[in-house]
Amino acid sequence: MQLLFADQLGPHFDLGGEILLPEVISQFAKRTYHRQKAHLILYALRSRAKDPRVTSVKLGSYRELLPESITEVIHPTSRPMLALAESLGASILPPRGFASSFEDWNEYSEGKKTTRLEDFYRLQRVRHNLLMDGETPESGRWNFDQENRLPPPKGGTGVVAPWAPVEDELDAEVRALLDELETEGVRFIGSDGARKFAATRQEALDALEHFIEHRLDLFGPYEDAVDEREWSMSHSLLSVPMNLGLLDPVEVAQAAEQAYRDGRARLESVEGFIRQVVGWRDYVWHLYWHFGPDYTGSNALAANAEVPAGLLSLDPDAFESRCLSESARAVGENGWAHHIQRLMILGNIALQRGWNPLQMNEWFTDAFVDGTPWVMPANVIGMSLYADGGQMSTKPYASGGAYINRMTNHCGSCKFDPKKRLGEDACPITAGYWNFLDRNKERLSGNFRMRNAYAGLARLGDISEIRSQESARTQL
Ligand SMILES: Cc1cc2nc3c(=O)[nH]c(=O)nc-3n(C[C@H](O)[C@H](O)[C@H](O)COP(=O)(O)OP(=O)(O)OC[C@H]3O[C@@H](n4cnc5c(N)ncnc54)[C@H](O)[C@@H]3O)c2cc1C
Ligand code: SF4
């Protein structure tokens, strides 16, 4: 019998025989999950269990699994689950649900001191013949990042609203179960609300088709923009069904390419999207294994401050900074925020304030509907917090309020002024940026890519005032 995990639910994980599908409710008591994340996991599991070949078992713990009944398992996505699979003595088949194998990665990374997304991504394009014109990239360019950086337009983006599921009796059943758990004392964060993400194979296909038809064309231009009027901008919201194993990234990328070939979506958008799906997603998956089990404990910048309780509980009223408050609100309402909110607002502020990387990694994993153990370390420990000392990124993604002012429409309704670094209305992100550079001068000023930033710091005549102001700041 094949053992199936909760992130292996689509047809590409099905070996065709009898399936054992565990449901382990106790996991919700061990960590503080977003309520909508718990809902999605349970809904997806129970839908999959309707297949007559599936035997669903409710367990108190994965350790209750009986080894004699399990013959095969597809390589799990995390070390603890891999150890479990190994302990069962079942045969472990190569991973699925990604667009490259361990062998592909080994061939690419062997002998390299550092890996680069761009090199890996180009190999992925060639390997899957995506947006290729023979041996060269379509239109002669691999990368359209320069075109894909528009700020939110004043009059609204005009993007079509995302696909949304129609809730059914299984949603009601799951909601009642989660209410019961809450009554018994299990704590969730975030609000309950209408389900927004695909959690069955059919829903995943519908969501993919809707995105390709109605939203992909504008994906590129507004990829980095945050607009308070459009919670999802032109993003696909497909990380949830992909991370549940309901969609294969290659089918997603091929559908996007077809839209370009048919003239339904512009090249800049399709290239940008394919880069995310078969580039970044596979890249961080391989880095999870590549960096090893101790990576999440990295803390190269000695960042030991506690993550504020207001963020842990997703309380927007805990913050006066509009960008932080609105990001906490978005995650509270949807269990989701887009890449720039994660990296350039939440990650950037955590980096500046020295919030503990491991605590941030755990918070991101539990608070986001698409959070998984494999996706977070490279994104949080590496890319956002530079806690790995530069293994993932060549320099920290630190920026001041000017970036947020350009790429979002938060600052216009904020009590702070993004241009000010001192005084009552000094922007905590602008002042925080200079304070971060100053605090980490010894560690970072030798980094060639930080040369301009440190030249800017050297020109400031008021850094000691900024230092005192920011060390006394109690309210963000
Ligand atoms: C601090 C931080 C935390 C993140 N946490 C998660 C997470 O919990 N789960 C997750 O899947 N992604 C995560 N990402 C990556 C990215 O932000 C999300 O994949 C994306 O916002 C999901 O929304 P979407 O499906 O609409 O994505 P789109 O913008 O439509 O992108 C398409 C797809 O590309 C993939 N992708 C793009 N960038 C990345 C990346 N850096 N890592 C992995 N996949 C990527 C995702 O599968 C995504 O669905 C994180 C990034 C950062 C900086
Ligand atoms: S002014 Fe500063 S704190 Fe306010 S929204 Fe802009 S960047 Fe954020």
Side-chain angles (χ1 to χ4, degrees):
M1 194 181 250
Q2 178 188 358
L3 171 65
L4 207 64
F5 287 107
D7 56 1
Q8 302 183 329
L9 303 178
H12 49 298
F13 287 97
D14 190 337
L15 300 175
E18 296 291 302
I19 288 173
L20 185 71
L21 186 62
E23 182 184 293
V24 185
I25 297 281
S26 63
Q27 64 178 312
F28 300 126
K30 288 194 188 130
R31 319 247 316 214
T32 309
Y33 278 71
H34 197 294
R35 164 92 188 210
Q36 293 180 43
K37 182 186 180 98
H39 188 122
L40 280 161
I41 295 171
L42 284 174
Y43 186 95
L45 276 173
R46 291 191 174 190
S47 298
R48 186 68 184 87
K50 288 179 184 165
D51 180 339
R53 283 183 298 114
V54 172
T55 305
S56 168
V57 280
K58 295 191 172 45
L59 302 177
S61 145
Y62 283 106
R63 272 184 240 110
E64 292 168 18
L65 282 168
L66 300 175
E68 52 277 16
S69 57
I70 298 159
T71 51
E72 288 161 312
V73 53
I74 290 170
H75 195 294
T77 57
S78 70
R79 283 187 193 87
M81 288 299 143
L82 178 61
L84 172 82
E86 284 167 348
S87 75
L88 295 170
S91 75
I92 300 174
L93 307 179
R96 299 186 183 185
F98 293 92
S100 52
S101 64
F102 285 156
E103 289 74 26
D104 293 331
W105 174 263
N106 291 341
E107 200 180 308
Y108 159 69
S109 63
E110 206 180 332
K112 286 194 171 57
K113 257 190 166 163
T114 49
T115 58
R116 282 182 63 225
L117 174 272
E118 187 63 32
D119 306 334
F120 175 74
Y121 162 66
R122 291 181 187 189
L123 290 176
Q124 291 283 82
R125 288 266 298 274
V126 174
R127 183 176 295 130
H128 293 287
N129 193 25
L130 287 164
L131 292 182
M132 296 300 294
D133 181 6
E135 304 213 327
T136 52
E138 182 70 17
S139 289
R141 282 174 65 186
W142 292 101
N143 188 319
F144 290 83
D145 270 1
Q146 284 307 326
E147 281 86 342
N148 287 348
R149 286 187 185 142
L150 290 187
K154 290 215 160 48
T157 56
V159 298
V160 175
W163 173 91
V166 177
E167 288 207 3
D168 60 13
E169 66 281 2
L170 184 52
D171 284 289
E173 176 187 311
V174 166
R175 193 160 280 126
L177 172 60
L178 293 173
D179 285 345
E180 204 179 301
L181 289 178
E182 285 198 286
T183 315
E184 288 166 10
V186 174
R187 188 173 157 255
F188 295 102
I189 48 171
S191 55
D192 184 16
R195 185 160 60 85
K196 301 172 187 78
F197 300 90
T200 67
R201 170 69 178 168
Q202 189 53 53
E203 287 184 350
L205 291 173
D206 292 346
L208 172 61
E209 189 186 323
H210 183 277
F211 169 71
I212 299 283
E213 279 315 311
H214 304 291
R215 290 161 56 83
L216 172 62
D217 186 46
L218 282 180
F219 174 86
Y222 300 125
E223 195 180 346
D224 285 359
V226 181
D227 188 326
E228 291 185 7
R229 297 162 296 183
E230 313 257 8
W231 72 278
S232 60
M233 295 301 285
S234 223
H235 291 273
S236 68
L237 308 184
L238 293 176
S239 54
V240 170
M242 272 194 278
N243 293 356
L244 287 169
L246 292 166
L247 282 177
D248 189 289
V250 178
E251 73 180 326
V252 173
Q254 285 172 342
E257 177 180 25
Q258 195 56 50
Y260 164 69
R261 301 272 175 220
D262 298 345
R264 288 176 287 145
R266 69 191 81 178
L267 181 58
E268 302 91 286
S269 289
V270 174
E271 187 284 309
F273 183 67
I274 287 178
R275 167 182 298 269
Q276 310 300 317
V277 173
V278 300
W280 276 110
R281 185 172 185 275
D282 269 55
Y283 190 63
V284 306
W285 153 252
H286 288 298
L287 289 181
Y288 171 74
W289 300 101
H290 186 79
F291 286 151
D294 300 332
Y295 184 75
T296 44
S298 312
N299 196 354
L301 300 182
N304 293 315
E306 288 273 313
V307 179
L311 188 63
L312 294 177
S313 62
L314 298 174
D315 175 9
D317 299 331
F319 306 107
E320 292 179 342
S321 309
R322 181 82 180 180
C323 52
L324 180 54
S325 169
E326 285 303 302
S327 300
R329 184 190 310 284
V331 185
E333 285 175 2
N334 307 314
W336 184 94
H338 81 60
H339 192 69
I340 294 302
Q341 291 164 301
R342 299 183 201 208
L343 181 65
M344 300 308 289
I345 299 180
L346 295 165
N348 183 27
I349 294 173
L351 174 74
Q352 290 185 1
R353 300 283 148 189
W355 295 343
N356 182 263
L358 183 57
Q359 207 190 353
M360 280 304 286
N361 195 70
E362 289 182 357
W363 173 76
F364 266 113
T365 310
D366 297 341
F368 281 72
V369 284
D370 52 10
T372 66
W374 63 265
V375 83
M376 283 313 174
N379 275 309
V380 178
I381 303 289
M383 186 160 27
S384 302
L385 303 182
Y386 202 74
D388 63 359
Q391 290 181 74
M392 165 83 187
S393 308
T394 48
K395 73 179 192 54
Y397 273 92
S399 77
Y403 177 86
I404 295 177
N405 194 24
R406 186 167 68 252
M407 294 309 294
T408 80
N409 54 12
H410 293 316
C411 300
S413 37
C414 183
K415 70 174 270 193
F416 301 113
D417 180 342
K419 294 193 191 68
K420 292 212 175 143
R421 56 179 184 263
L422 275 179
E424 277 281 287
D425 59 348
C427 165
I429 319 304
T430 300
Y433 169 74
W434 296 116
N435 194 43
F436 165 78
L437 290 182
D438 178 57
R439 190 174 73 241
N440 288 291
K441 204 164 166 179
E442 268 186 38
R443 295 185 183 96
L444 298 175
S445 59
N447 180 331
F448 179 73
R449 295 202 60 211
M450 296 297 283
R451 212 177 33 170
N452 288 344
Y454 277 98
L457 180 68
R459 284 194 296 273
L460 293 192
D462 49 13
I463 189 61
S464 59
E465 289 92 324
I466 295 174
R467 212 179 284 144
S468 327
Q469 170 184 280
E470 293 310 306
S471 61
R473 191 183 286 280
T474 51
Q475 176 67 47
L476 273 177

